[in-house]
């Protein structure tokens, strides 16, 4: 493609600025005169059920007091890896300076091997596995959990890893638009024998707020861009290194270049269904992913382990700063 030029990118990039000092130790969100925004569901049958068993979370409306356990949740952070989400929970425990011990942070979903969940003050940290089917199952039960718990003004953020397109490995991408493999902002799902199409619009104000937070972090680049969500890690993302490959090297590279020209800056496998479901249920949502490689240069992730570990901490650092800013806590560098 003759109009492909990563160096001429007009991406909105963050620049480092001094961190402002603030005070306060409360873990309550600042008061507002606006009405509370509750999580809602799009299922007319749910309220008529005698009991709602959240099977994959090992929770239920009869077996657990969900409002007491989760009613104060304001921030939900989800990511693929159980270990990563446990690490994020421990990180947020330190950042929020909570009085209880780290040993008190237990996996709420320990009775199942599907997902893990940790609660740190007003923050939930939950794993969702890999791919659209896995995160979809988790989101159905998570949204019902927030609904039954009568949570209000909830912000939900997916933090994860991704492949970059035309940007340096280690860059953090804040998604402004989640698109499918045809570069369209939509999520298509087969329901019964129909294809249902849903919007993947994310909260623009939340994306801008996250981007503004990133300006205070000088250790890695952050940008706003489109994120492409695929159903597959290999052929679906134009890789040549899977067990199957049905296209030429030239065709795969041309596809990635066209994606770049369409405004796409990273590829992952969860953002479209995440955006669609959260939007329908009244949740302000964002996707923040670090890139582990530049797909225009290679297919395989071959950076040293310690480098990858450091990369994976970058979205967590940004989200921590965002949460502390929302809570009015003193900004600290971890």
């Amino acid at each position: 493609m003759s109009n492909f030029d990563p160096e001429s990118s007009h991406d909105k990039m963050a620049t480092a600025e001094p961190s402002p000092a603030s005070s306060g130790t409360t873990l309550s969100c600042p008061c507002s005169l606006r009405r509370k925004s509750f999580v809602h569901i799009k299922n007319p049958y749910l309220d008529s059920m005698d009991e709602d068993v959240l099977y994959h979370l090992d929770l239920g409306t009869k077996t657990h007091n969900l409002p007491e356990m989760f009613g104060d949740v304001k921030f939900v952070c989800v990511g693929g890896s159980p270990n990563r989400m446990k690490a994020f929970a421990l990180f947020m425990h330190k950042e929020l300076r909570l009085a209880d011990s780290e040993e008190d942070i237990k996996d709420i979903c320990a009775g199942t091997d599907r997902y893990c969940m940790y609660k740190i003050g007003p923050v939930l940290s939950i794993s969702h596995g890999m791919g659209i089917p896995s995160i979809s199952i988790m989101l159905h039960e998570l949204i019902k959990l927030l609904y039954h718990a009568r949570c209000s003004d909830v912000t939900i953020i997916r933090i994860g890893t991704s492949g970059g397109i035309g940007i340096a490995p280690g860059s953090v991408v804040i998604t402004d638009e989640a698109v499918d493999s045809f570069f369209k902002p939509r999520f298509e799902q087969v329901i019964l024998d129909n294809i249902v199409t849903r919007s993947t619009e994310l909260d623009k104000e939340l994306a801008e707020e996250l981007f503004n937070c990133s300006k205070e972090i000088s250790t890695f680049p952050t940008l706003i861009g489109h994120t492409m969500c695929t159903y597959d890690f290999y052929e679906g993302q134009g890789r040549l290194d899977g067990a199957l490959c049905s296209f030429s090297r030239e065709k795969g590279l041309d596809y990635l270049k066209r994606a770049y020209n369409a405004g796409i800056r990273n590829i992952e496998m969860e953002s479209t269904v995440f955006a669609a479901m959260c939007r329908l249920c009244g949740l302000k949502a964002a996707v923040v992913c670090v890139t582990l490689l530049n797909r225009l240069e290679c297919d395989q992730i071959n950076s040293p382990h310690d480098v990858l570990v450091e990369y994976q901490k970058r979205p967590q650092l940004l989200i921590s700063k965002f949460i502390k800013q929302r809570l009015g806590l003193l900004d600290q560098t971890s």
Side-chain angles (χ1 to χ4, degrees):
M1 299 289 288
S2 59
N3 60 338
F4 170 70
D5 182 11
E7 298 303 322
S8 65
S9 169
H10 297 293
D11 297 333
K12 186 181 292 186
M13 299 293 293
T15 55
E17 294 179 356
S19 298
S22 60
S23 61
T25 56
T26 178
L27 291 186
S28 300
C29 287
C31 293
S32 172
L33 295 177
R34 62 183 176 83
R35 293 180 60 186
K36 290 183 178 181
S37 175
F38 289 95
V39 178
H40 52 264
I41 54 173
K42 297 286 186 177
N43 182 352
Y45 303 104
L46 200 60
D47 284 337
S48 64
M49 294 168 53
D50 182 55
E51 179 182 10
D52 191 5
V53 178
L54 310 179
Y55 173 72
H56 300 90
L57 300 182
D58 193 35
L59 295 167
T61 54
K62 277 194 172 181
T63 55
H64 299 81
N65 187 334
L66 299 180
E68 182 179 288
M69 293 174 67
F70 301 101
D72 63 337
V73 167
K74 298 298 180 185
F75 307 95
V76 179
C77 298
V78 305
S81 163
N83 287 338
R84 192 185 309 146
M85 298 319 292
K86 180 179 181 180
F88 177 70
L90 295 173
F91 176 59
M92 286 307 306
H93 181 269
K94 293 179 180 178
E95 291 292 285
L96 298 180
R97 294 185 169 186
L98 299 180
D100 55 336
S101 169
E102 285 188 358
E103 285 71 29
D104 296 327
I105 302 176
K106 304 294 184 181
D107 180 7
I108 299 171
C109 302
T112 175
D113 59 357
R114 297 298 181 184
Y115 307 105
C116 70
M117 177 192 295
Y118 302 92
K119 186 175 184 296
I120 317 93
V123 181
L124 272 187
S125 177
I126 311 173
S127 69
H128 58 60
M130 185 181 295
I132 286 174
S134 183
I135 191 174
S136 172
I137 294 167
M138 187 280 290
L139 284 173
H140 273 282
E141 297 185 16
L142 168 64
I143 292 169
K144 291 196 297 176
L145 166 64
L146 298 173
Y147 171 77
H148 291 310
R150 299 296 293 159
C151 295
S152 64
D153 303 320
V154 176
T155 298
I156 181 168
I157 303 173
R158 168 170 141 68
I159 53 179
T161 58
S162 62
I165 302 182
I167 57 178
S171 300
V172 172
V173 180
I174 301 170
T175 305
D176 62 350
E177 194 170 85
V179 302
D180 64 12
S181 297
F182 298 94
F183 314 157
K184 302 295 184 181
R186 64 189 180 189
F187 173 62
E188 292 186 333
Q189 181 174 3
V190 177
I191 301 178
L192 304 183
D193 54 355
N194 296 313
I195 297 177
V196 177
T197 302
R198 289 168 171 164
S199 169
T200 56
E201 182 181 353
L202 289 160
D203 191 276
K204 291 180 173 58
E205 290 184 1
L206 177 57
E208 287 290 340
E209 186 176 354
L210 288 164
F211 180 73
N212 289 333
C213 284
S214 75
K215 294 177 181 179
E216 301 171 12
I217 305 174
S218 61
T219 51
F220 54 83
T222 303
L223 59 97
I224 292 180
H226 298 354
T227 295
M228 180 165 68
C229 178
T230 68
Y231 286 89
D232 171 52
F233 185 82
Y234 287 98
E235 283 189 297
Q237 295 188 13
R239 279 186 162 88
L240 306 174
D241 61 338
L244 303 172
C245 187
S246 57
F247 50 86
S248 67
R249 182 184 303 273
E250 292 73 22
K251 191 171 183 179
L253 184 58
D254 175 71
Y255 177 74
L256 294 176
K257 289 178 178 179
R258 286 190 286 117
Y260 181 91
N261 287 329
I264 296 167
R265 294 298 174 265
N266 63 333
I267 312 174
E268 44 87 274
M269 296 186 290
E270 292 88 14
S271 59
T272 51
V273 67
F274 173 80
M277 291 184 67
C278 291
R279 181 176 181 274
L280 284 171
C281 295
L283 286 163
K284 291 190 174 183
V287 179
V288 181
C289 291
V290 67
T291 59
L292 302 183
L293 75 168
N294 181 359
R295 287 296 317 287
L296 297 177
E297 297 177 352
C298 58
D299 287 342
Q300 295 199 327
I301 302 169
N302 52 21
S303 297
H305 176 71
D306 59 334
V307 173
L308 295 177
V309 170
E310 194 277 324
Y311 283 172
Q312 292 175 23
K313 292 178 180 178
R314 293 179 177 187
Q316 299 184 17
L317 179 61
L318 172 56
I319 301 311
S320 166
K321 181 174 287 292
F322 162 77
I323 290 174
K324 289 191 295 179
Q325 179 175 289
R326 278 280 187 96
L327 294 175
L329 296 179
L330 177 66
D331 187 70
Q332 303 164 28
T333 300
S334 299

